[in-house]
Amino acid sequence: MIADDLRRDINIGRFRPGDRLPSESELTRTYSISRTAVREAFALLRSEGLVEARKGSGVFALDPAKARQSQPFADLDLDRLSAVIELFELRSAFEIRAAGLAAVRRSAQQIDAILKANANVAAAFENGGDTREADFSFHYEIAQATQNKRFPEFLALIRTGIVPRVELERHDGAPRAYRPNPDIVAEHARIVEAIVDGDQDLAEAAMKAHLEGSLARYRKLLRSGAEQPGG
């Protein structure tokens, strides 16, 4: 994903604060993607405070340390299960509505993007890999399909809670092994089917079941100190 590559390059210092990022046309050629996809990547990075657009000049990198400090939710301690649960409760209210709006507003191009993102989740799951990055992209594409830019902007704000940088720790301080949600492929399939069919009520119900199932697993984990489940 182009946004992931640019975010990494900013965080490791390949693009220092004040550096101009490659232009839309350069990135379009490099990644063989549309200008729309490049603009969406820039919009995501702007919402994270990592870049700024200067009219007539291009897009420039900002200081990632300052961006992290200034971001809402920056004080969340994502080593704590209780903090992750707080974000899941927030996501439930937000993403259920997003799924319903996506079902009635999505374009053909956005359906393709959701299908592709979901295929990446399924591939990561089947290969025994970490599904979190692919899962975030799936939910982000649904947010985009609401045709309301505040939905993907908000999802970007809580990205670190969806794709944590570190593994949550057990009560005794030992790291938990990451385990993806065993039902993620089937749950996503029900969401996708409802969105493709344009069924708002069913899309909301499918998203609710998906997120509340994950929330229930995290609550059980908090009580038991078992392994970390996926979203």
Side-chain angles (χ1 to χ4, degrees), residues 59-73:
V59 177
F60 294 80
L62 297 176
D63 186 337
K66 291 181 179 178
R68 286 190 289 270
Q69 292 170 359
S70 64
Q71 287 292 299
F73 307 103

Side-chain angles (χ1 to χ4, degrees), residues 49-222:
L50 291 174
V51 302
E52 67 175 358
R54 301 176 189 171
K55 191 171 183 180
S57 299
V59 177
F60 294 80
L62 297 176
D63 186 337
K66 291 181 179 178
R68 286 190 289 270
Q69 292 170 359
S70 64
Q71 287 292 299
F73 307 103
D75 63 338
L76 278 172
D77 180 1
L78 293 172
D79 289 343
R80 293 186 302 108
L81 271 168
S82 57
V84 176
I85 289 170
E86 287 173 355
L87 285 181
F88 260 104
E89 290 176 344
L90 182 60
R91 286 181 66 189
S92 291
F94 161 76
E95 290 199 69
I96 291 168
R97 180 61 172 161
L101 291 176
V104 296
R105 295 180 178 176
R106 78 287 185 274
S107 66
Q109 183 179 18
Q110 287 166 335
I111 288 176
D112 289 342
I114 292 170
L115 290 170
K116 182 178 179 181
N118 190 43
N120 290 338
V121 175
F125 181 84
E126 289 166 7
N127 292 331
D130 190 328
T131 61
R132 285 173 292 188
E133 286 286 352
D135 185 49
F136 175 82
S137 296
F138 172 74
H139 287 272
Y140 188 80
E141 293 298 345
I142 291 174
Q144 291 274 45
T146 65
Q147 313 301 348
N148 180 335
K149 67 179 183 179
R150 304 307 175 193
F151 278 83
E153 284 178 358
F154 180 75
L155 201 58
L157 288 179
I158 62 173
R159 177 190 175 91
T160 53
I162 301 171
V163 188
R165 293 185 300 274
V166 296
E167 301 297 341
L168 299 169
E169 294 182 350
R170 297 179 188 270
H171 295 302
D172 60 6
R176 291 184 173 92
Y178 172 76
R179 287 187 300 119
N181 169 8
D183 301 316
I184 191 170
V185 175
E187 290 174 2
H188 278 196
R190 287 190 283 271
I191 296 168
V192 171
E193 183 177 5
I195 291 175
V196 171
D197 290 345
D199 190 324
Q200 182 174 10
D201 292 340
L202 192 57
E204 291 183 356
M207 182 64 80
K208 180 179 180 181
H210 175 52
L211 292 178
E212 291 192 352
S214 295
L215 181 57
R217 284 187 292 274
Y218 274 108
R219 284 174 172 157
K220 181 178 179 181
L221 174 60
L222 183 63

